[in-house]
């Protein structure tokens, strides 16, 4: 139980560094970039008190913003998915707040986890690219970017999840 | 009041969310405006420092490529330098029409003396022009001060010049103010003094008179300065102090072709 905060802060900082120093330099096809740092929102433990996750999501987004000179776009999108996470959770997993204590993402079926992740990722990417675009022109461009980057992010997330969880078991 | 507290209790997450979202939206709008946000950007000391470290690391990994690029650049610059050297080494041909004094035309080829000698009885100079640059034997070599010699042998890139400080050198020369002419020779004693021999007995001159080339030879055009009279040895030999310091020669001109326009016109008729 004591190791949890260290584990989470380690994930927090390593995700920022991974995103800023490596993934922001990918720019596949010029604009397709994975935004893997939102994995922190998926992995953060579910609790009744939602102030910590909102604050941490905001700080996480702000850190990414300060590195990539994007104002507050990442902060906005990340805070928003942190807020809607319990509602998506309720819809996808068919569970209430009572189950938070004993809930673990690993124990759920892959299909449900997949739905949960995909919904949050695409919402995040949609908000992010809309704000980056900052106008109602090029709306189709926003949608293509959202889909391409979203797919990229999801592939990376599930690959990373798969590799890391396999290591932990053995 | 209780209603208000209840309201805050119920919507505390929504209000907190609104608060955070308005901050981030404010930052976004601020970032789009002209006065950019100064706090949340990669120019502050923390993010800038991390980027600097990363860029240092990146540079270290790229050292090999950068070395390669530098070597290529060096090669390019070296090639440019050699091309430039070649450029400065090209022949400058300069055609001078002398219609005022002697009515003749000749073409100069610029050149440089590689090897100079003046301490032997038979002195030869080497210049950096040869057959490639249309320099053959028996061409006049002068500089801006006056006469130097005659080419006597040429390879593809170089030519040997028989200096006027050579016992074999015999050049037609005359006084500037009269048409009495003689032959310019050297007695191998002083490299600043040459001798004009075989001047007619009736020639009148005084010390300080200027000697120029005579124009009777097929090699030198008329009017190239030689020197001034310093003394008379016997009846028909005088000493001449050269205008040129023969121990200190650099750039020279080779006279490629000259002809008197008068003769050409005469032959046409």
């Amino acid at each position: 139980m004591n190791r949890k905060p260290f584990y989470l802060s380690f994930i927090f900082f390593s995700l920022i560094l991974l995103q800023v120093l490596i993934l922001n330099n990918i720019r596949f096809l010029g604009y397709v970039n994975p935004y893997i740092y939102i994995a922190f929102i998926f992995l953060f433990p579910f609790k009744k008190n939602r102030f910590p996750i909102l604050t941490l999501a905001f700080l996480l987004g702000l850190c990414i913003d300060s590195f990539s000179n994007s104002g507050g776009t990442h902060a906005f999108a990340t805070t928003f998915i942190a807020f809607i996470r319990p509602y998506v959770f309720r819809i996808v997993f068919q569970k209430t707040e009572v189950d938070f204590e004993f809930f673990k993402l690993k124990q759920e079926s892959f299909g449900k986890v997949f739905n949960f992740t995909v919904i949050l990722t695409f919402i995040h990417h949609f908000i992010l690219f809309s704000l980056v675009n900052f106008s109602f022109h090029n709306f189709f461009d926003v949608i293509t970017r959202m889909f391409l980057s979203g797919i990229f992010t999801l592939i990376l997330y599930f690959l990373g999840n798969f590799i890391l969880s396999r290591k932990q078991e053995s | 009041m209780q209603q208000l507290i209840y309201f805050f209790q119920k919507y505390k997450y929504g209000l907190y969310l609104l608060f955070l979202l308005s901050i981030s939206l404010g930052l976004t709008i601020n970032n789009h405006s002209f006065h950019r946000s100064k706090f949340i950007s990669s120019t502050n000391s923390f993010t800038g420092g991390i980027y600097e470290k990363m860029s240092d690391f990146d540079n270290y990994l790229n050292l090999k490529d950068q070395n390669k690029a530098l070597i290529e650049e060096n090669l390019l610059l070296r090639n440019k330098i050699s091309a430039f050297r070649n450029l400065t080494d090209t022949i400058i041909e300069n055609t001078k029409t002398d219609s005022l004094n002697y009515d003749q035309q000749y073409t100069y080829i610029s050149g440089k003396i590689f090897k100079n000698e003046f301490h032997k009885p038979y002195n030869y100079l080497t210049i950096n022009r040869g057959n490639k640059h249309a320099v053959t034997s028996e061409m006049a070599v002068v500089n801006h001060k006056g006469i130097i010699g005659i080419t006597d042998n040429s390879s593809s890139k170089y030519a040997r010049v028989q200096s006027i400080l050579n016992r074999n050198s015999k050049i037609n020369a005359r006084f500037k103010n009269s048409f009495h002419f003689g032959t310019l020779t050297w007695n191998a004693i002083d490299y600043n003094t040459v001798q004009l021999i075989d001047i007619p007995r009736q020639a009148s001159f005084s010390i300080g008179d200027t000697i120029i080339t005579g124009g009777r030879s097929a090699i030198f055009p008329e009017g190239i300065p030689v020197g001034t009279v310093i003394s008379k040895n016997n009846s028909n030999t005088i000493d001449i102090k050269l205008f040129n310091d023969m121990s200190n020669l650099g750039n020279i001109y080779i006279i490629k072709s000259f002809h008197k326009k008068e003769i050409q016109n005469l032959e046409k008729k």
Side-chain angles (χ1 to χ4, degrees):
Chain A
M1 206 62 193
N2 264 341
R3 282 172 59 203
K4 205 80 181 173
F6 291 107
Y7 173 68
L8 281 173
S9 56
F10 172 74
I11 287 182
F12 186 85
F13 289 113
S14 54
L15 277 175
I16 289 175
L17 290 179
L18 178 75
Q19 178 65 40
V20 167
L21 297 181
I22 298 167
L23 300 181
N24 272 0
N25 297 319
I26 289 181
R27 293 189 206 91
F28 181 63
L29 296 178
Y31 54 87
V32 181
N33 235 1
Y35 294 99
I36 196 70
Y37 69 95
I38 53 169
F40 183 75
I41 309 297
F42 309 147
L43 296 173
F44 198 80
F46 291 86
K47 273 172 191 163
K48 248 182 183 172
N49 186 4
R50 286 156 64 196
F51 283 117
I53 179 142
L54 284 174
T55 315
L56 282 173
F58 181 73
L59 286 177
L60 177 68
L62 209 61
C63 286
I64 303 290
D65 276 329
S66 63
F67 276 106
S68 46
N69 282 324
S70 50
T73 51
H74 288 280
F76 192 99
T78 316
T79 317
F80 189 77
I81 61 162
F83 181 75
I84 62 163
R85 190 179 73 147
Y87 306 109
V88 178
F89 171 82
R90 209 174 292 165
I91 295 163
V92 173
F93 295 112
Q94 310 283 333
K95 282 180 179 172
T96 54
E97 292 181 352
V98 187
D99 303 313
F100 277 174
E101 272 303 317
F102 308 100
F103 179 79
K104 272 185 177 172
L105 214 57
K106 279 179 199 165
Q107 290 164 355
E108 291 297 319
S109 68
F110 182 75
K112 281 180 179 175
V113 176
F114 183 79
N115 284 343
F116 176 71
T117 317
V118 166
I119 290 167
L120 287 181
T121 306
F122 278 118
I123 289 172
H124 172 267
H125 282 41
F126 177 71
I127 294 169
L128 176 66
F129 287 119
S130 308
L131 275 177
V132 167
N133 195 28
F134 212 62
S135 87
F136 292 108
H137 295 288
N138 318 321
F139 197 69
F140 183 71
D141 197 41
V142 171
I143 301 293
T144 28
R145 280 179 186 220
M146 176 191 103
F147 272 105
L148 292 174
S149 291
I151 289 163
F152 204 165
T153 307
L154 288 169
I155 290 171
L156 265 186
Y157 172 69
F158 283 115
L159 273 179
N161 215 4
F162 178 70
I163 293 166
L164 291 176
S165 61
R166 280 293 286 278
K167 245 181 194 172
Q168 277 175 357
E169 276 171 25
S170 62
Chain B
M1 192 65 196
Q2 206 173 1
Q3 289 279 326
L4 197 67
I5 291 168
Y6 181 70
F7 174 80
F8 278 125
Q9 281 284 342
K10 197 180 177 187
Y11 295 107
K12 57 182 175 185
Y13 298 121
L15 289 171
Y16 189 56
L17 174 81
L18 278 179
F19 170 67
L20 293 181
L21 288 191
S22 56
I23 290 177
S24 47
L25 200 63
L27 286 171
T28 310
I29 292 165
N30 209 12
N31 194 38
H32 280 274
S33 72
F34 181 73
H35 302 286
R36 295 188 125 242
S37 164
K38 287 198 175 105
F39 308 106
I40 311 299
S41 76
S42 67
T43 50
N44 71 40
S45 63
F46 178 69
T47 52
I50 286 185
Y51 269 138
E52 195 186 338
K53 284 274 180 302
M54 192 60 191
S55 132
D56 285 350
F57 183 65
D58 210 42
N59 283 342
Y60 180 73
L61 291 182
N62 288 334
L63 275 182
K64 208 173 172 183
D65 286 341
Q66 285 183 357
N67 267 341
K68 220 178 191 175
L70 282 177
I71 284 170
E72 274 171 14
E73 196 181 344
N74 270 344
L75 205 68
L76 191 80
L77 289 175
R78 269 173 197 276
N79 280 339
K80 273 191 179 166
I81 285 175
S82 66
F84 184 67
R85 276 206 184 124
N86 236 344
L87 202 73
T88 54
D89 197 38
T90 47
I91 320 152
I92 301 157
E93 287 200 10
N94 188 0
T95 304
K96 182 188 176 188
T97 308
D98 182 3
S99 55
L100 196 67
N101 291 328
Y102 304 107
D103 199 21
Q104 56 192 350
Q105 184 183 335
Y106 40 91
T107 304
Y108 290 126
I109 300 171
S110 70
K112 219 172 201 176
I113 285 178
F114 270 0
K115 195 202 79 177
N116 186 15
E117 51 182 36
F118 47 85
H119 53 281
K120 294 184 202 164
Y122 298 93
N123 292 313
Y124 292 98
L125 320 172
T126 310
I127 58 172
N128 66 345
R129 295 284 179 253
N131 293 336
K132 243 186 181 174
H133 317 103
V135 171
T136 53
S137 60
E138 296 202 340
M139 289 172 102
V141 177
V142 300
N143 70 359
H144 62 284
K145 277 181 179 167
I147 185 170
I148 289 172
I150 301 168
T151 60
D152 82 324
N153 208 340
S154 65
S155 66
S156 68
K157 277 185 182 169
Y158 302 101
R160 193 173 69 157
V161 177
Q162 189 189 61
S163 170
I164 47 169
L165 305 181
N166 188 308
R167 275 187 174 165
N168 291 333
S169 169
K170 283 183 174 59
I171 294 162
N172 180 277
R174 68 170 174 86
F175 295 98
K176 198 178 180 186
N177 51 7
S178 74
F179 282 91
H180 298 297
F181 62 88
T183 306
L184 207 63
T185 56
W186 187 49
N187 59 9
I189 294 171
D190 181 12
Y191 67 83
N192 276 323
T193 314
V194 292
Q195 283 71 41
L196 189 66
I197 59 167
D198 299 333
I199 45 172
R201 208 174 286 172
Q202 63 270 34
S204 65
F205 58 89
S206 51
I207 288 169
D209 278 0
T210 304
I211 306 291
I212 56 171
T213 54
R216 261 169 243 279
S217 79
I219 297 169
F220 279 100
E222 196 174 354
I224 306 278
V226 176
T228 51
V229 177
I230 46 172
S231 66
K232 184 183 175 182
N233 283 353
N234 50 46
S235 59
N236 51 8
T237 301
I238 51 176
D239 282 346
I240 294 164
K241 189 182 186 308
L242 289 170
F243 286 129
N244 260 331
D245 180 4
M246 293 301 282
S247 62
N248 181 19
L249 296 174
N251 291 310
I252 48 114
Y253 304 105
I254 304 129
I255 292 173
K256 195 174 154 194
S257 66
F258 71 94
H259 49 263
K260 291 186 173 177
K261 277 183 184 172
E262 258 182 61
I263 293 172
Q264 262 191 341
N265 291 340
L266 201 68
E267 280 168 353
K268 271 180 195 168
K269 279 173 187 172

